[in-house]
Amino acid sequence: MASTNPLAPKADQESEGSFQNTADMTAFVQNLLVQMQTRFQAMSEGIVAKIDEMGSRIDELEKSINDLKAEMEVDSPIKPNPEEDKPSNESS
């Protein structure tokens, strides 16, 4: 009588194989997501570090510019406006 239902064991094997494929795929996707999250986190930290570095450089540049301005004011007295030195050429 076992020969009357030859598909029964095969159906059980297919459902077990299908379950195993689903479990394998789930594990694969979870592993892939963990890897992506790790890489994304590393990239995010790198970007934030670069932004902080650029902010520090901008601050240093602003300080240097202000120092140069202050040095220029000390080295040379304030010059009068060039337009004030020109004689007026108004003829009526």
Side-chain angles (χ1 to χ4, degrees):
M1 297 256 167
S3 63
T4 59
N5 194 358
L7 297 178
K10 196 173 189 180
D12 287 341
Q13 289 173 353
E14 285 179 9
S15 67
E16 286 176 14
S18 168
F19 178 75
Q20 183 62 35
N21 286 341
T22 303
D24 289 346
M25 185 61 72
T26 301
F28 172 77
V29 170
Q30 286 176 339
N31 184 34
L32 187 61
L33 288 172
V34 168
Q35 289 177 6
M36 289 173 62
Q37 183 177 7
T38 302
R39 290 180 183 167
F40 180 78
Q41 185 66 34
M43 286 176 25
S44 296
E45 290 171 1
I47 290 169
V48 169
K50 290 288 184 186
I51 290 171
D52 289 344
E53 181 183 342
M54 291 303 294
S56 296
R57 286 182 172 184
I58 290 171
D59 291 343
E60 290 174 11
L61 184 59
E62 287 176 340
K63 184 182 179 304
S64 295
I65 289 171
N66 289 334
D67 290 347
L68 286 171
K69 283 181 178 179
E71 187 178 318
M72 288 175 59
E73 289 174 0
V74 168
D75 288 347
S76 60
I78 299 175
K79 296 180 181 178
N81 192 348
E83 293 177 6
E84 294 175 1
D85 292 341
K86 294 180 183 177
S88 61
N89 294 334
E90 294 179 15
S91 45
S92 309

